[in-house]
Amino acid sequence: QLWTLGFVKLNFTGGEALIRRDAADVIAHARDLGFRDLHLNTNGLLLDRRRLAEVIRAGIRSFNISVDGSSAERHDGIRGRSGSFESATEALRLVVEQRERYGLDVRLNFTVLANNAGDLPEIAALARDLGVALYLNLGTDQTFLFRHEQVTGLLDVDEAQLRRSLTELESMVRQDPNGLPSLAALRYIPGHFGLAETRYVPCAESQLKLMVRSTGAVGGCWGHDATMNVRNQSIRSIIDSSHYRDEHQRFFEKDCVSCGSNYALNIRVA
């Protein structure tokens, strides 16, 4: 349905997309339909050499791999799993090994939280050591996957620590911006955590993307409480409905939960 409607890119994400044993088969089906821009978000735990070869063969050409600390102690503490830092960084190295051969794009995704906000310069240095770009996700308890008191407890970011960390990272960006977040993106971050005023930026993400969840629910973004389901009606009928279009007008104007998802895209578009 997505191919017929003219969609040009598919992102496979979760949770963790590679938990599905048939993930490579699903990706290959998209490739066979005609999709050429296929992307995978992963925590790297299951992305060993064999699985990487499978998803590349299936058509994946870009990767976001999550690393939430510049050390095993910090990352594993956040993830709650010993050895996850080693797995994630090894997954990044494996992708980098194949990057030139297959024309792969790869980013290290770091989610800013209360217990790692001081780690920004170090995670930037790690990304550079690994030879990958850095993207900063912003912690939120407003999206449908993360509305939980445990997540809320991770969002009380210390302002002084965050600002010191951002100042150091901004200095790195000024010296060499290659592979690092833009200065505009960095200056947005304190406002996300309620530590500064932020200028109004409409939500382009909700207009450019369609999210089909594992339950079949169809929405436009991470913060959308979707009420329509592809198991009951076609995607065309969903996105053509007045309800869906009215919802997305609200989202563009940020009459929503204001989750901060893909804020960097919104800043670029604005």
Side-chain angles (χ1 to χ4, degrees), residues 214-261:
S214 58
T215 60
V218 177
C221 62
W222 292 98
H224 184 195
D225 290 313
T227 58
M228 291 181 279
N229 196 297
V230 71
R231 299 182 186 209
N232 304 321
Q233 60 189 117
S234 70
I235 293 177
R236 180 182 293 278
S237 68
I238 291 173
I239 62 178
D240 281 348
S241 69
S242 59
H243 173 75
Y244 185 89
R245 291 177 180 271
D246 289 346
E247 288 277 271
H248 281 69
Q249 179 63 35
R250 289 198 304 105
F251 299 153
F252 180 72
E253 296 170 354
K254 287 219 174 153
D255 179 14
C256 62
V257 297
S258 297
C259 64
S261 176

Side-chain angles (χ1 to χ4, degrees), residues 86-243:
E86 182 178 350
S87 295
T89 51
E90 177 61 15
L92 283 161
R93 292 186 184 97
L94 290 174
V95 175
V96 168
E97 282 180 10
Q98 302 299 323
R99 178 166 54 192
E100 185 173 350
R101 180 179 180 184
Y102 293 102
L104 306 177
D105 290 325
V106 56
R107 295 194 307 186
L108 185 160
N109 266 19
F110 176 91
T111 300
V112 181
L113 300 165
N115 48 359
N116 66 7
D119 209 20
L120 297 180
E122 290 78 12
I123 201 68
L126 175 63
R128 284 198 159 155
D129 286 345
L130 292 167
V132 299
L134 172 66
Y135 184 78
L136 300 179
N137 286 320
L138 305 181
T140 180
D141 58 1
Q142 295 299 307
T143 59
F144 71 93
L145 283 175
F146 300 109
R147 292 171 186 160
H148 194 282
E149 61 184 12
Q150 287 184 325
V151 177
T152 303
L154 295 173
L155 303 180
D156 188 17
V157 173
D158 180 85
E159 181 174 5
Q161 181 187 59
L162 177 63
R163 291 194 181 278
R164 283 195 301 270
S165 189
L166 284 170
T167 297
E168 290 185 46
L169 182 51
E170 284 186 11
S171 177
M172 295 174 69
V173 171
R174 288 192 180 92
Q175 292 174 20
D176 179 6
N178 186 45
L180 297 181
S182 69
L183 291 174
L186 296 181
R187 289 165 184 166
Y188 177 90
I189 293 174
H192 171 81
F193 291 103
L195 303 175
E197 293 292 326
T198 56
R199 68 183 178 93
Y200 171 75
V201 178
C203 184
E205 160 149 290
S206 64
Q207 312 302 303
L208 298 175
K209 293 186 176 181
L210 182 79
M211 181 170 289
V212 182
R213 304 177 189 173
S214 58
T215 60
V218 177
C221 62
W222 292 98
H224 184 195
D225 290 313
T227 58
M228 291 181 279
N229 196 297
V230 71
R231 299 182 186 209
N232 304 321
Q233 60 189 117
S234 70
I235 293 177
R236 180 182 293 278
S237 68
I238 291 173
I239 62 178
D240 281 348
S241 69
S242 59
H243 173 75

Side-chain angles (χ1 to χ4, degrees), residues 8-46:
V8 296
K9 179 178 182 179
L10 293 185
N11 291 358
F12 295 89
T13 187
E16 174 53 49
L18 294 181
I19 287 177
R20 287 188 61 131
R21 295 180 182 179
D22 64 347
D25 294 334
V26 176
I27 295 163
H29 178 63
R31 177 205 62 206
D32 292 344
L33 287 171
F35 285 101
R36 291 295 175 264
D37 196 346
L38 299 173
H39 172 85
L40 178 66
N41 289 333
T42 176
N43 59 28
L45 287 174
L46 300 175

